[in-house]
Amino acid sequence: MHVKAKIIAFGGLLLALTVLFMMLGGIIETNTLFLLAAASYFAGIMIRETGLRMGAAFYLAGVLLGFFLVPNKFYVLSYAAMGFYIVAVEFIWRKMGNLPARYRKKQVFWIMKYLIFNLIYLPALLFFQELLFSGKLSAPLLIGAFLAGQIGLLIYDKAYEYVQGHIWTRMRGRFLN
């Protein structure tokens, strides 16, 4: 099989799984966050296998297909935010290869991750409280939601690194060889 055709078929398979996971988030309510996170991880897999341009196109296709096919549009917005984080983090990782050796790449990378996350999370937390919660939050609850989001990012990011480093590296040969 031609290499381009194989990658396109692989992308189509991952895109179908992405939309399926978004739909399943509405059906299996107890695992919604897990399924949406897993759907966004497919964008990262596509970026690492095909490059940033093709991965970004995959991410946009997932968002557009989600808006057309998934009944609960809030889940599509959640996937869009999670996927954007993945695309931005992968972009920054690629750009950090040009960073001089005197910088501590790991620390700079984590600072950039938290900046990206908070650029997504803080506007949602401050301006769309009624959408996320059942009304306006008091100041202590708002601070608690902010801190919970930071802890959630740590868990989400560690899970993404685990999926990419362990699960996908083991399964990669079954799909792409």
Side-chain angles (χ1 to χ4, degrees):
M1 185 190 279
H2 194 269
V3 175
K4 284 274 189 188
K6 191 177 218 178
I7 292 296
I8 290 172
F10 174 69
L13 176 67
L14 285 185
L15 194 56
L17 287 172
T18 298
V19 173
L20 179 67
F21 278 28
M22 280 190 271
M23 285 181 169
L24 285 174
I27 296 169
I28 308 170
E29 293 287 332
T30 57
N31 288 335
T32 299
L33 205 53
F34 169 80
L35 290 166
L36 292 175
S40 69
Y41 293 167
F42 292 135
I45 290 171
M46 197 66 179
I47 289 170
R48 292 200 183 176
E49 293 301 327
T50 63
L52 197 58
R53 181 180 254 169
M54 187 85 150
F58 174 87
Y59 161 71
L60 290 174
V63 172
L64 288 173
L65 273 176
F67 274 115
F68 288 127
L69 299 175
V70 177
N72 192 336
K73 304 307 181 213
F74 183 72
Y75 294 159
V76 179
L77 288 174
S78 300
Y79 163 77
M82 291 176 173
F84 179 78
Y85 172 79
I86 296 290
V87 171
V89 163
E90 292 291 338
F91 173 78
I92 287 173
W93 179 251
R94 292 176 193 285
K95 292 298 178 187
M96 285 188 62
N98 302 332
L99 200 61
R102 68 179 179 268
Y103 293 109
R104 296 180 180 197
K105 289 184 182 183
K106 192 171 186 178
Q107 288 83 359
V108 171
F109 189 51
W110 268 101
I111 290 169
M112 295 303 291
K113 284 181 179 185
Y114 273 97
L115 284 174
I116 292 167
F117 171 75
N118 284 311
L119 284 173
I120 299 166
Y121 184 62
L122 287 179
L125 187 63
L126 295 175
F127 301 118
F128 300 107
Q129 289 181 25
E130 291 83 14
L131 185 63
L132 298 173
F133 307 104
S134 62
K136 285 267 190 198
L137 294 179
S138 64
L141 286 177
L142 196 60
I143 292 169
F146 171 76
L147 293 174
Q150 305 309 304
I151 294 168
L153 169 66
L154 184 65
I155 294 167
Y156 175 75
D157 197 72
K158 288 295 182 187
Y160 175 65
E161 289 175 8
Y162 181 79
V163 166
Q164 286 287 2
H166 293 85
I167 296 173
W168 176 243
T169 53
R170 288 185 189 150
M171 296 183 71
R172 183 177 189 273
R174 294 180 185 152
F175 289 100
L176 295 175
N177 284 338

